[in-house]
Amino acid sequence: MCRRGALVDVYRHFAEFYDLYVGDRLDDLPLYRGYARRARTPIVEIGAGSGRLTIPLARSGARIVAVDVSRAMLRILRRRLRGEPLRVRRRIRVVPADAARLDLRFRSELIIVPFYAFNYFLGLQALRALRRFAGHLTDDGRLLVDVFVPLGHLRRCPDGPVLRVDAVDAAGRRVRGWNAYRLDRRRRTEIRRQRFVIEAPGRAPRRGAFTIRRRYWLGAELDRLFRRGGFEVERVFAGYDGRAPVSGSEQRLYVLRRVGKLYSSVH
């Protein structure tokens, strides 16, 4: 049982493999870099993880508050920062925190929730997180939320495990990972069972498995959720190059601005 207020690290079993999945994925970096250049305050990155975006943004001159609920992921970020020049390290503040209870005690002109981190807010967490974000934005600030809508899985979920990674990591280990998917349509939840086999020279293979859940929304559900959280949609993209979404778009990036009452206060 978790004590009240403790951070629940859903990525604690996945952190050591995360960069093999998406560590070199930077197709969204130019979009976030463009918004970051216009921000006069430090930007807030929710779900910073191992620093996939954090470090390149800081290298570009952005000041960043890197927030993540996963201490395991943030340990990797801190290790990576040791190899960066002092000027880059000084631009990054690392904060382990639950976004639904966020209290950074300042307001930012830009908050980003990249690469489907928003989908990991289950139940009322999404609404609570949005209200915390609203309380942390300046009057003219923007919130960018990258959301996954698993339309393909809703039509036909894979029948069995899918090989998602087969790679050699920096330590010379061969890592293979399979994902099996199941949908709880009533709760709008995708349940992903991940299984790994890690093979290192001279050692017996190490095997592991864990389950991760993420929430998805359909149709106008997100628009209603954003309004309840204190936001309105300014723009929405079906990717990172400015394309408008179509009915089959599985990825949507929302640009939101705050409206109405502030639901949380910062000092």
Side-chain angles (χ1 to χ4, degrees):
M1 180 180 294
C2 296
R3 67 184 184 277
R4 184 177 178 82
L7 297 183
V8 178
D9 188 348
V10 298
Y11 265 70
R12 64 190 181 278
H13 301 298
F14 190 27
E16 66 174 307
F17 314 114
Y18 180 80
D19 285 342
L20 291 179
Y21 275 73
V22 297
D24 59 354
R25 183 183 188 271
L26 290 174
D27 53 331
D28 52 350
L29 177 61
L31 182 142
Y32 293 120
R33 186 180 278 153
Y35 276 90
R37 286 195 187 105
R38 300 193 288 269
R40 295 163 295 182
T41 66
I43 70 175
V44 178
E45 181 187 3
I46 303 296
S50 61
R52 180 184 68 87
L53 288 173
T54 314
I55 292 175
L57 286 171
R59 288 171 180 164
S60 299
R63 293 172 293 152
I64 305 169
V65 178
V67 177
D68 204 297
V69 73
S70 173
R71 294 184 183 274
M73 294 291 283
L74 292 180
R75 280 195 294 272
I76 298 172
L77 170 56
R78 289 189 174 101
R79 284 201 302 268
R80 294 181 64 189
L81 284 176
R82 290 199 289 267
E84 293 295 318
L86 181 61
R87 67 180 183 278
V88 173
R89 298 200 304 269
R90 283 178 170 171
R91 294 180 188 135
I92 298 172
R93 173 187 164 201
V94 178
V95 178
D98 179 350
R101 298 183 178 128
L102 194 64
D103 187 0
L104 299 174
R105 298 181 179 268
F106 83 100
R107 291 197 175 104
S108 174
E109 291 185 344
L110 179 64
I111 300 175
I112 65 173
V113 191
F115 197 45
Y116 312 154
F118 194 79
N119 291 86
Y120 291 90
F121 299 146
L122 303 178
L124 290 175
Q125 284 182 312
L127 180 59
R128 290 169 179 158
L130 284 169
R131 291 176 173 176
R132 298 306 297 175
F133 300 157
H136 282 79
L137 272 183
T138 61
D139 291 341
D140 58 349
R142 293 296 182 271
L143 169 65
L144 274 56
V145 180
D146 190 3
V147 181
F148 172 60
V149 183
L151 298 176
H153 286 182
L154 290 171
R155 287 190 292 268
R156 179 177 171 81
C157 211
D159 293 329
V162 178
L163 181 66
R164 289 297 311 277
V165 65
D166 186 349
V168 177
D169 67 10
R173 304 177 305 173
R174 183 185 181 191
V175 178
R176 285 176 292 162
W178 293 262
N179 290 0
Y181 301 90
R182 181 169 62 85
L183 296 178
D184 182 335
R185 296 173 187 268
R186 185 174 67 85
R187 292 184 173 87
R188 295 277 204 269
T189 303
E190 179 196 71
I191 302 161
R192 189 171 75 231
R193 181 68 173 170
Q194 299 196 201
R195 181 168 59 86
F196 287 95
V197 177
I198 304 98
E199 298 171 312
R203 297 185 180 181
R206 177 160 65 94
R207 304 174 188 275
F210 56 92
T211 299
I212 290 180
R213 291 169 171 80
R214 61 182 181 180
R215 176 71 157 83
Y216 63 87
W217 288 265
L218 299 176
E221 288 179 306
L222 268 177
D223 291 336
R224 292 195 294 269
L225 178 68
F226 292 147
R227 285 197 296 271
R228 290 181 64 197
F231 291 94
E232 67 178 9
V233 177
E234 182 175 83
R235 301 183 70 183
V236 58
F237 306 121
Y240 309 116
D241 56 3
R243 289 177 292 114
V246 296
S247 60
S249 298
E250 291 200 329
Q251 185 262 349
R252 298 188 180 214
L253 192 143
Y254 288 84
V255 180
L256 308 175
R257 67 184 187 92
R258 200 187 70 205
V259 293
K261 176 184 175 183
L262 280 178
Y263 289 92
S264 60
S265 60
V266 293
H267 307 284

